[in-house]
Amino acid sequence: MNAGKPIDKHSAQQALRLKWIPDQSVSYGVCITFENEGSKNEVKYEVKVSRLKPGSNNEPLFQIERTSEVFVNEAIPELVADRLAYEAGKVFYPLVISVDNNGGFETVYNHDEILKRWPKIKSKLLSNFDGVMTDYYIANMEKLLAIPLNVTNILGKNDWLINTFFKPIYKVYQKDKFEKMVFPILNNSNVDNYLIAEKFEKNSNSFGAIEVHHEGSIEMENADNFNQYFGDYQGKYFLHPKYKYIISLISDFSISCYATSKVHLRVFMIPEDGRDFDYDFLSTYDENNTITSGAVILDGPPQKSFWERLLNI
């Protein structure tokens, strides 16, 4: 792809399909930067995302494992409230989620496993923390974990990786059609959506990846009558040319009312040991599988403190 070349819009019959093989895993580095009223906080961690075999109702499943500590501003959280939230949050991982046929997040699938992990996590919390804050936080966590829908909602509304990585990008792309998407930056406002134009480049770029671009702004008709919100979103997805899984994701968000808040998210594939970043981008694959017509399906069988604000628990 030539630098600065406009992205072509495609016909209503062109689509993108995910061909991620079950039991195949990809490791990623995640960096999220939060800017708000002059303050800046950076969160970094590593995850392994695995495509699993379909669930009991043939729903596509993915597992997310955190493979490193979570660092805030290059350090492990030290404040008691931050550390408490961080240690309690470990109960969710490994996390198994279901997605729809377009790749969009639907539900937390392994709620029973999360519940079984909680007693051990709770015991560690009680051993390492004490006081009213600990009791309060444990009570809130137990209330949250008791209902599967609560777990799905809290992660679906507040987890930045889930809200960007698992968006419905595997689908038919129609010319001049806009999509409505919600991201965590809007949780504390009365704004419902960003209105987004989606485009993808038919031909792979200079290093062999397929590009999907998002560009949008806050949908003004849903703004609070008393607080006029403005905001923009730009996202770039770089997909593996054969399997179509994400190899890199760059997203930038803003929302302004009395002040401006920004979030910058970067996700990059971590190559396997001893391999180059683009080691399999030149693999032989059927060009006709890049753009297809007809139904779009995933392959397989049919189908406070900073940390408290971040997790919103």
Side-chain angles (χ1 to χ4, degrees):
M1 185 182 71
N2 296 326
K5 178 182 177 181
I7 300 172
D8 295 331
K9 293 182 178 180
H10 301 283
S11 71
Q13 294 304 309
Q14 293 171 318
L16 187 62
R17 295 191 303 167
L18 178 65
K19 303 181 72 177
W20 192 326
I21 300 171
D23 296 325
Q24 182 180 37
S25 300
V26 182
S27 294
Y28 297 94
V30 181
C31 179
I32 313 170
T33 304
F34 301 87
E35 298 182 33
N36 185 29
E37 297 180 359
S39 67
K40 184 175 181 180
N41 291 285
E42 182 182 72
V43 177
K44 290 182 178 179
Y45 57 93
E46 295 180 3
V47 296
K48 182 169 71 173
V49 180
S50 304
R51 175 78 185 271
L52 305 181
K53 291 180 173 64
S56 56
N57 295 316
N58 289 321
E59 59 268 68
L61 300 180
F62 288 86
Q63 179 173 276
I64 305 168
E65 301 174 75
R66 283 187 177 169
T67 55
S68 74
E69 296 283 359
V70 177
F71 297 90
V72 178
N73 300 326
E74 304 296 342
I76 295 175
E78 295 182 354
L79 294 177
V80 173
D82 290 346
R83 192 71 192 177
L84 180 60
Y86 171 53
E87 293 297 334
K90 290 181 178 180
V91 73
F92 297 116
Y93 298 94
L95 177 69
V96 178
I97 66 170
S98 66
V99 302
D100 61 29
N101 284 336
N102 296 332
F105 171 74
E106 282 199 328
T107 65
V108 170
Y109 190 80
N110 64 333
H111 178 258
D112 289 343
E113 293 178 11
I114 292 171
L115 281 182
K116 290 177 182 178
R117 288 197 288 264
W118 173 244
K120 185 175 181 179
I121 297 291
K122 178 180 178 180
S123 178
K124 288 184 177 180
L125 292 176
L126 292 173
S127 297
N128 297 322
F129 303 91
D130 57 25
V132 176
M133 180 186 297
T134 303
D135 295 338
Y136 175 80
Y137 197 86
I138 287 176
N140 280 350
M141 281 294 294
E142 291 186 332
K143 183 178 179 181
L144 165 67
L145 295 175
I147 302 176
L149 182 60
N150 286 348
V151 178
T152 290
N153 286 341
I154 200 72
L155 292 174
K157 292 179 179 179
N158 297 286
D159 187 284
W160 274 98
L161 181 64
I162 289 176
N163 269 274
T164 51
F165 195 96
F166 296 99
K167 282 300 187 190
I169 63 173
Y170 303 101
K171 60 185 178 182
V172 172
Y173 283 80
Q174 299 184 39
K175 183 178 180 180
D176 299 328
K177 180 180 179 181
F178 289 82
E179 295 287 345
K180 296 179 181 181
M181 294 185 183
V182 178
F183 296 97
I185 198 171
L186 302 180
N187 281 350
N188 296 321
S189 71
N190 291 322
V191 180
D192 291 334
N193 306 294
Y194 284 93
L195 193 62
I196 297 167
E198 302 173 294
K199 309 171 186 177
F200 79 94
E201 181 63 56
K202 178 178 180 180
N203 299 315
S204 58
N205 63 17
S206 60
F207 60 92
I210 297 169
E211 294 188 17
V212 176
H213 290 202
H214 287 175
E215 185 171 356
S217 57
I218 288 174
E219 190 176 21
M220 297 311 299
E221 66 184 46
N222 288 327
D224 189 312
N225 290 331
F226 300 100
N227 297 310
Q228 194 69 39
Y229 288 93
F230 302 92
D232 298 302
Y233 157 59
Q234 290 187 330
K236 292 182 180 180
Y237 292 77
F238 299 87
L239 309 179
H240 191 284
K242 181 177 181 180
Y243 301 112
K244 310 303 187 295
Y245 58 67
I246 294 170
I247 57 175
S248 181
L249 166 59
I250 301 173
S251 295
D252 296 290
F253 306 83
S254 69
I255 182 170
S256 299
C257 185
Y258 301 110
T260 298
S261 297
K262 296 181 180 180
V263 176
H264 310 284
L265 183 139
R266 305 290 184 264
V267 178
F268 297 99
M269 186 183 81
I270 302 173
E272 297 178 23
D273 291 342
R275 295 180 183 266
D276 294 329
F277 176 77
D278 61 351
Y279 67 94
D280 58 358
F281 288 4
L282 300 181
S283 299
T284 301
Y285 64 97
D286 183 0
E287 293 283 356
N288 292 327
N289 283 333
T290 303
I291 309 298
T292 65
S293 61
V296 182
I297 60 172
L298 296 180
D299 59 308
Q303 322 249 292
K304 332 144 168 167
S305 71
F306 170 75
W307 266 93
E308 288 174 311
R309 296 196 306 272
L310 178 61
L311 295 175
N312 198 27
I313 295 177

